[in-house]
Amino acid sequence: MLNNNGKIGIFDSGIGGVTVLKEIIKILPKENYIYYSDSKNNPYGDKTSNEILEICDNIVKYLLKENCKIIVIACNTASAIAVDFLREKYNNIPFIAIEPAYKMVYDFAYDKPTLIMATKGTIESKKFNMLYKKYNNNKTYIMECIGLADIIEEENTKKINEYLEKNIGSYKGKVENVVLGCTHYPLIQNEIKKVLGNVNFFNGAEKVANHLKEILIEKQLLLNMLENEKGTINFFDSRNSKIKKERFFKILEK
Ligand code: DGL
């Protein structure tokens, strides 16, 4: 039986999911969180579906032992590949998944040329293909950003700038919208702007936060706390990396 004192579990292949957690904390500051950064298995984007299913299954087992009442998959790749499997296997716990914010383009900037950036795993997934077909504005380029999440994870600005110049430089002047279809990419918005100019970014994190809140209310799982009390945030890294931990809290507090 789930109880509202449980934690909110959230995971990603590394620190990218912090971009989602930041949005969540804005509207749910009193909840207690446990963030699982899976740097041991990073990157997810180039792994097979079976590998991703097994990885996610193990993370969920860990989060359930930590008394989580709900789990947020703060990774587009893991969401696209594993959420149906997880919902079926753990049918007593709600899962909140993220997807590339292509519907937002459809709703707010349909007539504008768009670049979707995401991992290979996301782009090749059935879920993404259904989303793309449904909201296709016929002015969209899709870019499999192989290796980009790894260098963001490494925090290697030089490599990131070179990567972007080489791989998305040709879209300069051609696109006005950019869908950040991997939770690591909001961390490099400034670098993307340097290459593409003043584009509009679309990111699914805020929608995930709102959806999480709705589900907690619907299932009566919101934490009852006194006014002004702040929740706790625990960070776990599968490699026990101190550097990741420091970076995580630095981004969170920015
Ligand atoms: N941050 C992840 C995503 O949103 C995964 C990146 C990776 O590990 O390849 O897709």
Side-chain angles (χ1 to χ4, degrees), residues 64-101:
L64 292 179
K65 271 200 207 124
E66 289 291 320
N67 187 29
C68 288
K69 59 184 175 183
I70 193 161
I71 294 177
V72 179
I73 310 177
C75 170
N76 289 267
T77 315
S79 293
I81 294 167
V83 69
D84 291 343
F85 161 81
L86 294 172
R87 283 186 177 138
E88 199 175 317
K89 178 158 181 186
Y90 300 96
N91 55 18
N92 57 347
I93 175 134
F95 287 92
I96 308 295
I98 189 164
E99 67 179 13

Side-chain angles (χ1 to χ4, degrees), residues 160-170 172 194-195:
I160 292 167
N161 288 332
E162 283 167 7
Y163 182 102
L164 293 174
E165 198 54 63
K166 183 168 167 222
N167 292 286
I168 64 168
S170 59
K172 187 175 165 60
K194 266 193 241 154
V195 177

Side-chain angles (χ1 to χ4, degrees), residues 99-124:
E99 67 179 13
Y102 194 45
K103 180 175 185 298
M104 268 174 94
V105 170
Y106 182 88
D107 290 340
F108 301 111
Y110 183 76
D111 56 331
K112 305 246 164 64
T114 300
L115 174 66
I116 301 178
M117 296 172 69
T119 67
K120 182 168 179 277
T122 298
I123 286 168
E124 288 177 357

Side-chain angles (χ1 to χ4, degrees), residues 80-190:
I81 294 167
V83 69
D84 291 343
F85 161 81
L86 294 172
R87 283 186 177 138
E88 199 175 317
K89 178 158 181 186
Y90 300 96
N91 55 18
N92 57 347
I93 175 134
F95 287 92
I96 308 295
I98 189 164
E99 67 179 13
Y102 194 45
K103 180 175 185 298
M104 268 174 94
V105 170
Y106 182 88
D107 290 340
F108 301 111
Y110 183 76
D111 56 331
K112 305 246 164 64
T114 300
L115 174 66
I116 301 178
M117 296 172 69
T119 67
K120 182 168 179 277
T122 298
I123 286 168
E124 288 177 357
S125 69
K126 241 194 242 152
K127 273 209 188 309
F128 173 75
N129 279 284
M130 277 160 61
L131 180 82
Y132 177 64
K133 276 199 194 110
K134 191 162 171 194
Y135 299 111
N136 189 358
N137 72 355
N138 295 306
K139 294 178 186 171
T140 297
Y141 305 94
I142 301 177
M143 167 93 203
E144 279 184 7
C145 297
I146 297 170
L148 183 55
D150 320 19
I151 53 181
I152 298 172
E153 195 68 21
E154 277 173 33
E155 212 179 356
N156 191 329
T157 314
K158 185 170 176 276
K159 275 198 200 161
I160 292 167
N161 288 332
E162 283 167 7
Y163 182 102
L164 293 174
E165 198 54 63
K166 183 168 167 222
N167 292 286
I168 64 168
S170 59
Y171 296 108
K172 187 175 165 60
K174 281 197 196 153
V175 295
E176 289 175 56
N177 300 328
V178 174
V179 175
L180 301 167
C182 164
T183 55
H184 282 72
Y185 303 164
L187 298 172
I188 56 158
Q189 276 183 202
N190 290 338

